[in-house]
Amino acid sequence: MRKLVYFVATTLDGFIAGPDGSDPTGPGGFWSPAECYIRHLVEEYPETLPGPARTALGVTAEGTRFDTVVEGRKSYETGLAAGVANAFPHLRHLVFSRTLTESPDPGVELVAGDPVAAVRELKRTGGKDIWLVGGAELAGALYGEIDRLVVKLSPLTLGAGIPLFGRAADFDPRLWELSDHTVLQGGAAFLTYDRCRA
């Protein structure tokens, strides 16, 4: 069965964005990833690079991990505000929203229903794993469905911001097993955790 993988950048103090929700690595962002970080993404997770970045870097690799990406409306609208209607045209792209009624791009599927039911259905279909790109509210709603965490840990603290699973996530302790890790020269680390099943 396919896994739902929350592949996300976070700070040392557990925030995926500043208090305003803006992209931490975007224009005017507070974190500029080092060259070794970008190189690691290109080599290990090429399908997670947005289309414009793939073009700029000459990345054509299909990738071996994900063929589907899911995200929430707020996360999606960050790209829209930057003029990108489909950041991941090389993947099946689903956006969960109860307020968007028409997709700005034919390659983006809008899902108004229950994200848990939709992800369970996606897991039952064949294919590569499903990438949960964000945002935090959707990650909180899908907390019980996440099978793997790939935390791109940046050597940075914020003090305040949007936490990994949003501000409304339920208290539900889970154990995770570290299954892989890569520490980069610039201080960032890629930490892979698989959910421990009872």
Side-chain angles (χ1 to χ4, degrees), residues 1-6 47 62 64-70 90-94 96 109 116-132 144-148 194-195 197:
M1 185 182 290
R2 304 167 82 185
K3 291 182 173 70
L4 179 63
V5 181
Y6 191 18
E47 65 269 44
E62 180 180 297
T64 59
R65 300 172 195 269
F66 309 115
D67 61 11
T68 303
V69 60
V70 297
H90 50 286
L91 301 173
R92 181 178 179 195
H93 190 171
L94 287 80
F96 290 88
E109 302 171 45
V116 171
V119 164
R120 286 180 179 167
E121 181 60 32
L122 285 171
K123 284 182 175 184
R124 284 191 285 271
T125 63
K128 298 174 187 173
D129 286 340
I130 305 154
W131 170 29
L132 169 57
E145 294 300 314
I146 297 170
D147 304 293
R148 175 173 288 161
D194 288 310
R195 183 174 162 186
R197 302 290 179 176

Side-chain angles (χ1 to χ4, degrees), residues 26 28 39 48 115 165 184 190:
R39 188 170 50 248
T48 65
F165 293 103
L184 303 176
F190 283 68

Side-chain angles (χ1 to χ4, degrees), residues 4-10 16 23-24 47-50 66 68-77 87-88 91-96 130-139 142 146 150 152 164:
L4 179 63
V5 181
Y6 191 18
F7 180 83
V8 63
T10 183
I16 64 169
D23 181 358
E47 65 269 44
T48 65
L49 291 165
F66 309 115
T68 303
V69 60
V70 297
E71 69 179 319
R73 177 190 54 81
K74 290 179 185 175
S75 174
Y76 176 65
E77 286 181 340
F88 307 104
L91 301 173
R92 181 178 179 195
H93 190 171
L94 287 80
V95 173
F96 290 88
I130 305 154
W131 170 29
L132 169 57
V133 69
E137 286 182 30
L138 182 60
L142 291 172
I146 297 170
V150 180
K152 300 175 287 180
L164 199 60

